[in-house]
Amino acid sequence: MTLKLLLCNSLAPVPAYKRELHARELEAAATAGVDYLVGIYHACHRELCAHEATSPFKVVNFLELVGEAMGVEKVDLFKQWKMMQDVDRVLAEVATHATAAGLDLESVREVLLANMLGEQPLPIDFRGKPPPEPEAAPVRVISE
């Protein structure tokens, strides 16, 4: 028996199927006229949430809906920062807290670049354009 898995939280480079999947999902939601695109997997939410900036619908994690139903509401800061698409603006917002925690701001900046802006499989402004081709996979050579 062959088992095929589609993991939303794959490592770089992002495979073409994920870009195509995200493009189809976002276009289908827009075409259907939904108010919310609700993700059930946190990694998918991280990859899709910034598209709210250019979509006619909100992108939320299902736990936001559960919390709202319980009367608990909290701003999705990650989504807010990711929609900015500007690491320097994000760093300006978190600098006081990062410094108070003893973190080096240049290291924080590198983490933001890699783990916030770097995990955007499909460009925010992809509509009307074909999804970009994936980058070539890095070659790892292990000598004996």
Side-chain angles (χ1 to χ4, degrees):
M1 174 172 72
T2 301
L3 181 63
K4 293 182 180 181
L5 299 175
L6 174 62
L7 300 177
C8 189
N9 190 20
S10 58
L11 299 174
V14 176
Y17 72 81
K18 186 181 278 192
R19 287 184 178 88
E20 293 165 9
L21 176 68
H22 284 184
R24 284 195 318 265
E25 184 174 14
L26 291 162
E27 291 296 342
T31 300
V34 301
D35 296 316
Y36 293 89
L37 174 60
V38 181
I40 59 169
Y41 187 54
H42 305 300
C44 290
H45 177 69
R46 291 173 61 97
E47 293 174 344
L48 292 169
C49 68
H51 290 283
E52 181 177 308
T54 59
S55 297
F57 50 81
K58 293 194 176 293
V59 179
V60 298
N61 182 285
F62 81 100
L63 289 177
E64 291 178 72
L65 300 179
V66 172
E68 187 177 314
M70 296 170 49
V72 177
E73 293 186 44
K74 187 159 175 91
V75 175
D76 185 345
L77 291 174
F78 181 84
K79 178 172 70 175
Q80 178 181 305
W81 294 331
K82 192 153 181 183
M83 285 193 309
M84 287 180 187
Q85 292 291 293
D86 183 340
V87 73
D88 293 322
R89 282 181 58 202
V90 175
L91 189 58
E93 286 197 18
V94 303
T96 304
H97 298 292
T99 303
L103 300 173
D104 171 63
L105 291 182
E106 189 54 36
S107 296
V108 172
R109 187 177 197 286
E110 289 174 19
V111 168
L112 289 171
L113 281 169
N115 297 294
M116 183 176 286
L117 298 181
E119 66 173 23
Q120 188 65 51
L122 190 62
I124 304 303
D125 62 349
F126 81 94
R127 286 182 174 80
K129 301 178 224 169
E133 292 298 318
E135 298 172 13
V139 176
R140 290 184 58 198
V141 177
I142 302 172
S143 58
E144 295 181 40

